Each structure stands twice: as C-alpha cells, then as structure tokens.
Amino acid sequence: MLASLGCEVRLIRKVGDLDGIAGLVLPGGESSVIDKLTRIFGIQEPIRELIRGGLPVFGTCAGLILLAERLADGIAGQQTFGGLDVTVRRNAFGSQLDSFETDLEVPALGPEPAHAVFIRAPIIESVGASVEVLASVGDEIVAARQGNLLGISFHPEVAGDARWHEYFLKIVAARN
C-alpha cells in the first residue's frame, strides 16, 4: 500500500534496517509471534527506543496490539513495544470464522465512510487522556491516535482503502 503511494519501503529484519527510517508500520499477523521474533533478532528494544523518541508508527491489527501500553489477555510472557496509552484485548471480535467487514465513520479521513475488514481483530478497551478515538464499531473502539502513534484493529490494505496510509504519511511528513 505504501509503495503504491510512492513511498520507499524497507522490510525490517535486523537492527541495521531501522537506521534512517522516517516511520514504521507494524502489520497484522500474530502479535505473540512478532513479539518473540523481535526479541530473538534483538530489535524489540531499538523499536521501543524509536517509539519513545517520537518515530511515527502505524499498527494494524496485530500491530495495534504491539503498540499498546497494556494488553488485557496476552499469552504467558507476551510483551508489547508500548507507547500508545491504550488497553487492547486480542481476538475480541472472535475467531477467524467471526471475521467481518463494515463501513466506519472516520471524520479524520473525510466524509466518505471507510470500509474495514476485521480478521480475528482486537479492540481497544480503554484509552488514556491524550488518546484520540478515531473510529468505533458500536461501543467498541477500533482506531485511535496519540501523537505520532496510530493504531487500528482492522486491515485497510485488504479493503483497498489507502486513506489510512495517506493519513499516516501526513503524520510522518509533519514530524520530518
């Protein structure tokens, strides 16, 4: 999605890959596996330092879980990078079979609804005072921003809606 918007994209596999990045996307997937791999490859703490230093970070689904300061139901020993003052519950909408699509009202993206695809999606159970709620499904918070950190429960790349990535790129541009 970012490459289609004209961005240079770099995969992060080792500490040196973090050098000089303007922003970081934490993708969907399995948050506990991503957590373990970042520790195995020694990039967990450098990512935490970049977040503390103000690096713009966009977390989608599992990436939201990794950005959360608090995890309501992580597996034994699961850690997050932190930074986003929220409590997140993994798989809150149910199993793979409970996946769904819906349109969200997101004033930050403009007047048109944003189509969202939820796959074993987390929810944001609570937010700190400095967190802006961007979207909800009923009473469940599914998108939030705190400064340079953006976290969403769903997969905009599956829906083909580039507006979330464009919104993130504005956060990156404002910092640089």
Side-chain angles (χ1 to χ4, degrees):
M1 187 69 75
L2 290 171
S4 74
L5 295 172
C7 292
E8 177 187 338
V9 177
R10 178 188 321 166
L11 299 179
I12 306 298
R13 293 190 171 107
K14 57 187 185 299
V15 173
D17 295 335
L18 294 166
D19 293 343
I21 62 171
L24 179 64
V25 174
L26 301 173
E30 176 51 53
S31 61
S32 60
V33 172
I34 298 169
D35 164 44
K36 287 177 187 176
L37 289 173
T38 62
R39 287 188 272 154
I40 288 169
F41 289 99
I43 60 174
Q44 179 193 59
E45 194 52 40
I47 290 173
R48 285 178 171 167
E49 289 174 22
L50 288 169
I51 291 170
R52 284 191 294 267
L55 182 75
V57 181
F58 179 20
T60 65
C61 199
L64 164 64
I65 295 166
L66 292 165
L67 269 181
E69 280 290 328
R70 296 167 301 281
L71 187 53
D73 62 347
I75 66 168
Q78 185 172 359
Q79 299 176 21
T80 70
F81 299 129
L84 188 60
D85 187 12
V86 299
T87 301
V88 171
R89 180 169 302 279
R90 300 164 62 242
N91 305 325
F93 285 108
S95 72
Q96 190 82 16
L97 294 175
D98 299 308
S99 298
F100 67 98
E101 299 180 34
T102 192
D103 288 332
L104 303 173
E105 298 299 322
V106 189
L109 299 184
E112 294 234 355
H115 193 68
V117 178
F118 292 82
I119 304 169
R120 291 181 44 214
I123 60 167
I124 300 171
E125 289 192 334
S126 66
V127 299
S130 62
V131 175
E132 176 186 7
V133 173
L134 299 175
S136 299
V137 172
D139 293 333
E140 308 295 356
I141 301 169
V142 297
R145 177 180 178 187
Q146 179 183 359
N148 289 333
L149 305 178
L150 174 63
I152 63 175
S153 298
F154 47 90
H155 295 269
E157 73 284 358
V158 174
D161 188 345
R163 291 181 296 162
W164 287 102
H165 292 80
E166 291 167 346
Y167 182 74
F168 177 63
L169 291 176
K170 290 176 184 173
I171 295 170
V172 172
R175 175 149 193 286
N176 296 316

